[in-house]
Amino acid sequence: MIVRDFNKLKDTDRSVSDAKWNSVRMLLADDGMGFSFHITTLQAGSEHTFHYKHHFESVYCMSGRGSITDLATGQTHEIKPGVMYALNLNDKHTLRAEEELVMACCFNPPVTGNEVHREDGSYAPVEETA
């Protein structure tokens, strides 16, 4: 059994930050679960374009308000507490935080903790980050 406390992890190397977001990686690839689990916070007023070409991601909004736009279709969806979205087609998307957004995220394949977003908004394939 794995038990971790977000409040203890947020001040460790499992807490990764970039421009206007922070992600606390609760589970990583080396935990052997087949997915990674993160609590990600996006600053109010921020906008982020991501394209996880090599990963699937599902995201559940715990608090805050914003929107997500599927850049292939132009369709925009409201993000608020209780809403989940899944990037089942490696969907390129723009996420906007009207208020601070706190999201629970799962990645498959799991991230290792060493990833950084590349210029195109993606993470490198797993074999490049292992």
Side-chain angles (χ1 to χ4, degrees):
M1 179 182 297
I2 299 169
V3 177
R4 297 205 170 109
D5 183 336
F6 170 84
N7 295 302
K8 292 180 181 175
L9 292 179
K10 66 183 182 179
D11 295 320
T12 71
D13 63 353
R14 284 184 174 255
S15 179
V16 177
S17 296
D18 201 350
K20 300 187 180 184
W21 62 262
N22 172 263
S23 181
V24 177
R25 277 80 188 274
M26 307 283 298
L27 289 172
L28 290 169
D30 64 4
D31 290 310
M33 296 291 297
F35 62 92
S36 57
F37 178 75
H38 317 191
I39 302 297
T40 300
T41 303
L42 303 160
Q43 290 181 15
S46 65
E47 183 174 304
H48 312 268
T49 298
F50 299 124
H51 188 192
Y52 298 118
K53 300 175 185 180
H54 311 289
H55 297 81
F56 294 110
E57 182 189 27
S58 64
V59 177
Y60 177 80
C61 180
M62 298 188 306
S63 67
R65 294 201 172 273
S67 64
I68 185 169
T69 301
D70 179 334
L71 295 179
T73 67
Q75 189 170 18
T76 297
H77 303 274
E78 182 181 15
I79 302 296
K80 62 184 179 182
V83 171
M84 184 277 306
Y85 64 87
L87 304 171
N88 61 318
L89 300 175
N90 305 103
D91 312 271
K92 185 174 184 180
H93 61 286
T94 297
L95 187 59
R96 293 173 193 84
E98 296 165 23
E99 302 171 0
E100 180 182 82
L101 284 171
V102 180
M103 318 282 264
C105 312
C106 289
F107 277 87
N108 181 13
V111 301
T112 64
N114 298 321
E115 292 83 0
V116 293
H117 286 100
R118 300 187 302 184
E119 190 173 310
D120 66 358
S122 70
Y123 286 146
V126 173
E127 54 275 3
E128 290 182 25
T129 60

